[in-house]
Amino acid sequence: MTLSSAASASRSNILLNASKLTKTVQVGEQTLSIIKEVDIYINAGEFVVIMGKSGSGKSTLLGLLATLDYPDSGSVELADHMLSDLDEDALAVIRQRDMGFVFQSFHLLPTLTVAENIAFPLDIARRPNQARVNELIEAVDLGHRRDSLPNQLSGGEQQRTAVARALVSHPKIVFADEPTGNLDEQNANQVMQLLLDLRQQVGSALVVVTHDPALAAMADRVITMHDGRIVS
Ligand SMILES: Nc1ncnc2c1ncn2[C@@H]1O[C@H](COP(=O)(O)OP(=O)(O)OP(=O)(O)O)[C@@H](O)[C@H]1O
Ligand SMILES: [Mg+2]
């Protein structure tokens, strides 16, 4: 393969492409620039880790890529949709259909059982699929907890529920912000392994913010942030 055909092959594989993202926040009289003209792409099926010191902008960047937050300027494109041009209703459809989320503090719906939490993305998209839900419950080893509420679960069980929920609808991309940050080492390893195995089965891209070097060693690519910029 020539250099130029290799370059076009890798370009055609881009799933998410963000350019010149900037984000400022107002703190009293001061305007702080917390994301500074960041360009970033994620290939289809790619596993990317974002690292960097506390306060470097990792969670803010992830929120912008996942359309959970708005940039001051710049654009995010996902699989031929220019997300920056869409209104909130259209974005909600894309988030439901194409994205999965795992947060450090689990974010399960407190009044829904394990099975109902996992089913939730399919249900709100009006594509209920009990067989798929059962498959995921077994995959994360929660068959014995399917009717439990989140507050009846351990942290590891809650995060396994969140991992199943993130992958249930075969999303194109999963965003995870320190998904093992609130777990002990054994549960952290189990959750991460499940997340990696399930996303492999589904073929989703995975973007994980983490401080864990062992996890970074498994990634296809590691991006390092410093002071609102990507430095490597
Ligand atoms: N709403 C806000 N108002 C003021 N400052 C904010 C706001 N959100 C984020 N920041 C600041 O922006 C910077 C980046 O925050 P961010 O949460 O993205 O960092 P992070 O890299 O995820 O850090 P950590 O590893 O601690 O989670 C920090 O200095 C933070 O204090
Ligand atoms: Mg953070």
Side-chain angles (χ1 to χ4, degrees):
M1 202 188 278
T2 63
L3 260 183
S4 65
S5 68
S8 66
S10 74
R11 258 203 306 276
S12 66
N13 204 20
I14 289 178
L15 171 69
L16 181 147
N17 195 23
S19 48
K20 296 220 176 318
L21 287 178
T22 63
K23 180 77 184 176
T24 57
V25 290
Q26 202 66 34
V27 181
E29 304 269 275
Q30 272 192 316
T31 304
L32 295 180
S33 186
I34 57 176
I35 297 292
K36 300 169 181 168
E37 300 223 323
V38 166
D39 294 323
I40 182 173
Y41 68 91
I42 310 291
N43 286 321
E46 192 181 23
F47 170 25
V48 174
V49 156
I50 301 177
M51 301 188 91
K53 281 196 311 197
S54 178
S56 58
K58 305 178 298 294
S59 295
T60 306
L61 178 62
L62 202 73
L64 295 175
L65 299 179
T67 73
L68 302 173
D69 191 7
Y70 293 99
D72 291 326
S73 61
S75 62
V76 180
E77 192 177 355
L78 178 75
D80 297 331
H81 295 282
M82 188 53 87
L83 303 186
S84 329
D85 294 343
L86 300 180
D87 63 21
E88 190 46 47
D89 289 347
L91 280 180
V93 169
I94 288 189
R95 280 196 295 265
Q96 284 166 22
R97 192 188 59 200
D98 295 334
M99 298 180 182
F101 302 92
V102 184
F103 302 96
Q104 180 172 356
S105 49
F106 320 132
H107 284 219
L108 298 174
L109 292 161
T111 59
L112 300 186
T113 65
V114 166
E116 290 164 348
N117 265 286
I118 295 173
F120 189 74
L122 297 170
D123 292 345
I124 50 170
R126 297 202 189 83
R127 292 184 297 154
N129 183 342
Q130 198 55 51
R132 175 72 181 152
V133 173
N134 292 340
E135 187 187 337
L136 268 287
I137 290 175
E138 292 309 320
V140 298
D141 197 20
L142 286 173
H144 58 303
R145 285 277 178 267
R146 61 176 300 132
D147 298 321
S148 300
L149 293 170
N151 68 9
Q152 300 167 325
L153 302 176
S154 72
E157 288 167 341
Q158 289 184 64
Q159 200 63 313
R160 273 145 55 204
T161 305
V163 164
R165 179 181 61 178
L167 273 304
V168 73
S169 57
H170 295 88
K172 291 193 173 81
I173 187 163
V174 175
F175 299 98
D177 193 353
E178 302 196 41
T180 59
N182 282 348
L183 303 177
D184 63 36
E185 193 179 338
Q186 193 188 341
N187 277 300
N189 289 339
Q190 188 188 16
V191 160
M192 216 44 236
Q193 203 53 56
L194 283 169
L195 185 54
L196 293 177
D197 289 350
L198 286 173
R199 76 45 91 155
Q200 186 106 39
Q201 282 169 26
V202 168
S204 309
L206 174 62
V207 186
V208 181
V209 170
T210 182
H211 293 283
D212 181 357
L215 190 54
M218 290 189 262
D220 296 321
R221 191 151 52 98
V222 179
I223 287 170
T224 307
M225 293 196 70
H226 179 77
D227 193 20
R229 295 181 206 277
I230 290 176
V231 290
S232 71

